[in-house]
Amino acid sequence: MPATVETTPCLPGLSPVAGKPVLARFDGEMLSSDGGLLALREVEKRLGIAAQLAACIDDPRTPEGVQHGLDEIIRFRMLMIAAGYEDGNDADWLRNDPMFKLAMERLPEAGDLCSQATVSRTENLPGPRALLRMGLAMVEHYCASFRTIPNRIVLDIDDTFDAAHGAQQLCLFNAHHNEYGSQPIVVFDGDRRMLAAVLRPACRPKGAQIVKWLRRLIDAIRGHWPRTAIMLRGDSHFCTPAVLRFCRARRLDYIFGVARPRRCANTSSRWRPAPRRARNRLRERKSGGSKSSMMAQQAGTASSGSSPASRPGRWGAIPASSSPA
């Protein structure tokens, strides 16, 4: 029997709801639960972040054989993360999603998007210099978002733990979180706009490492705004002597948290200063008598007209019979 194309009938006879008809159909082949991607598509088109980041990476592929450009791959990965699909493996089944295709300027009937293998190769493609150019591009994008040069900006710097599921690069065990992962450092301004980020292992950063990264960030900002005052805010992880010296040398305002010493934290709740009378009694007990009795004893010895040898010395009375050696 030859194959035929037949339309799927709808289910008639449903009563309206709030004055609007209700239609039930069974031909929902191409469905998606990510309708918000269309709004994100408009935002990305206006900002053009994917194209700026793609321009910082050297593409070693042959132009004739390129099917997915770097800007398209980066845009697809950005939309995946924004929609809650953090793992690159999700690209294997999201590449057929109609909403993702519309967000990537493709019709639902068009070809599939890039796969997980293509996404992974692109994420491992940039080298140190390319990553540095991408970071400077993000700073340039941040500075260009202001209509006028601000007189002062506040930068909130913090590190956050990101759990790893597998043997990812820079994966390290963190005893505080009791699992493996990374601990990237991110920077937001006072209005919660992201400025920069750096991926690093899940350990507390050292002062020299923070200064090396902050120097590039501050120099990039002051390359656009040389007279803008900058304030840094962070927790105790960034309150190190190297960071404080850097802030003073660059004339940066800063507010950093100070971690309380562990010994003080354990004893401060139990230690209480003794009352004054109790301290005086303890001092008298150690000295062997009250202060008034000791003064009276010394005064009586001094007025008895004894020889200097029998007078009380610094460490008590010296016997008269003792002779110097």
Side-chain angles (χ1 to χ4, degrees):
M1 181 177 180
T4 59
V5 178
E6 299 180 356
T7 59
T8 304
C10 63
L11 181 63
L14 298 178
S15 58
V17 176
K20 296 185 179 180
V22 178
L23 301 178
R25 302 181 64 90
F26 301 94
D27 56 353
E29 180 181 358
M30 305 185 67
L31 297 178
S32 177
S33 60
D34 301 307
L37 291 174
L38 299 181
L40 293 177
R41 165 179 169 266
E42 301 297 331
V43 175
E44 204 286 322
K45 286 180 60 177
R46 184 183 308 173
L47 299 179
I49 298 179
Q52 295 181 20
L53 297 179
C56 302
I57 306 175
D58 298 329
D59 193 353
R61 299 177 296 177
T62 305
E64 295 79 9
V66 172
Q67 184 176 358
H68 306 283
L70 291 179
D71 57 342
E72 180 182 352
I73 301 173
I74 295 176
R75 187 179 299 109
F76 182 37
R77 191 70 175 103
M78 290 169 51
L79 294 176
M80 287 176 55
I81 297 175
Y85 305 100
E86 303 174 357
D87 298 334
N89 297 336
D90 298 329
D92 286 338
W93 59 277
L94 290 176
R95 59 186 307 199
N96 301 319
D97 191 275
M99 283 298 175
F100 273 93
K101 288 185 178 181
L102 290 176
M104 296 296 297
E105 306 292 338
R106 294 192 181 190
L107 295 176
E109 298 82 9
D112 296 339
L113 303 176
C114 59
S115 62
Q116 176 269 332
T118 304
V119 171
S120 298
R121 285 193 295 266
T122 304
E123 290 180 346
N124 290 275
L125 181 61
R129 294 184 179 275
L131 293 175
L132 181 60
R133 291 193 296 265
M134 296 171 70
L136 296 177
M138 293 299 298
V139 175
E140 182 179 358
H141 173 77
Y142 170 79
C143 296
S145 63
F146 287 79
R147 296 183 178 179
T148 59
I149 299 178
N151 297 326
R152 183 187 184 88
I153 59 174
V154 179
L155 301 181
D156 293 324
I157 179 172
D158 194 10
D159 50 357
T160 178
F161 182 78
D162 185 16
H165 306 282
Q168 282 91 346
Q169 296 177 354
L170 302 180
C171 182
L172 188 66
F173 181 79
N174 188 284
H176 178 75
H177 298 277
N178 196 26
E179 56 183 336
Y180 288 86
S182 59
Q183 194 164 339
I185 298 178
V186 293
V187 177
F188 292 82
D189 68 351
D191 297 328
R192 290 183 280 184
R193 288 178 290 191
M194 187 174 180
L195 181 61
V198 59
L199 183 62
R200 52 179 310 279
C203 60
R204 182 169 180 171
K206 297 181 180 179
Q209 297 173 350
I210 300 174
V211 169
K212 183 179 180 180
W213 188 62
L214 280 178
R215 183 181 294 110
R216 294 175 176 174
L217 178 61
I218 298 302
D219 291 344
I221 296 176
R222 285 186 168 169
H224 297 273
W225 302 331
R227 298 184 179 181
T228 299
I230 302 176
M231 170 180 281
L232 293 179
R233 295 190 303 193
D235 56 12
S236 59
H237 284 188
F238 303 92
C239 186
T240 63
V243 176
L244 297 180
R245 288 193 298 266
F246 170 78
C247 293
R248 298 189 186 103
R250 295 301 181 94
R251 297 181 180 180
L252 302 175
D253 300 329
Y254 56 88
I255 300 177
F256 295 135
V258 179
R260 186 170 56 177
R262 184 177 302 177
R263 185 173 182 179
C264 295
N266 295 336
T267 60
S268 60
S269 59
R270 296 177 296 175
W271 183 83
R272 292 291 183 274
R276 180 176 299 179
R277 293 182 179 178
R279 294 199 302 268
N280 293 339
R281 287 195 298 268
L282 180 61
R283 189 180 300 112
E284 293 169 3
R285 190 179 301 112
K286 290 182 178 180
S287 60
S290 63
K291 184 177 180 181
S292 59
S293 61
M294 292 178 63
M295 292 178 62
Q297 182 181 1
Q298 292 178 7
T301 306
S303 61
S304 62
S306 58
S307 62
S310 61
R311 294 177 184 176
R314 182 178 180 182
W315 307 108
I318 303 177
S321 60
S322 62
S323 60

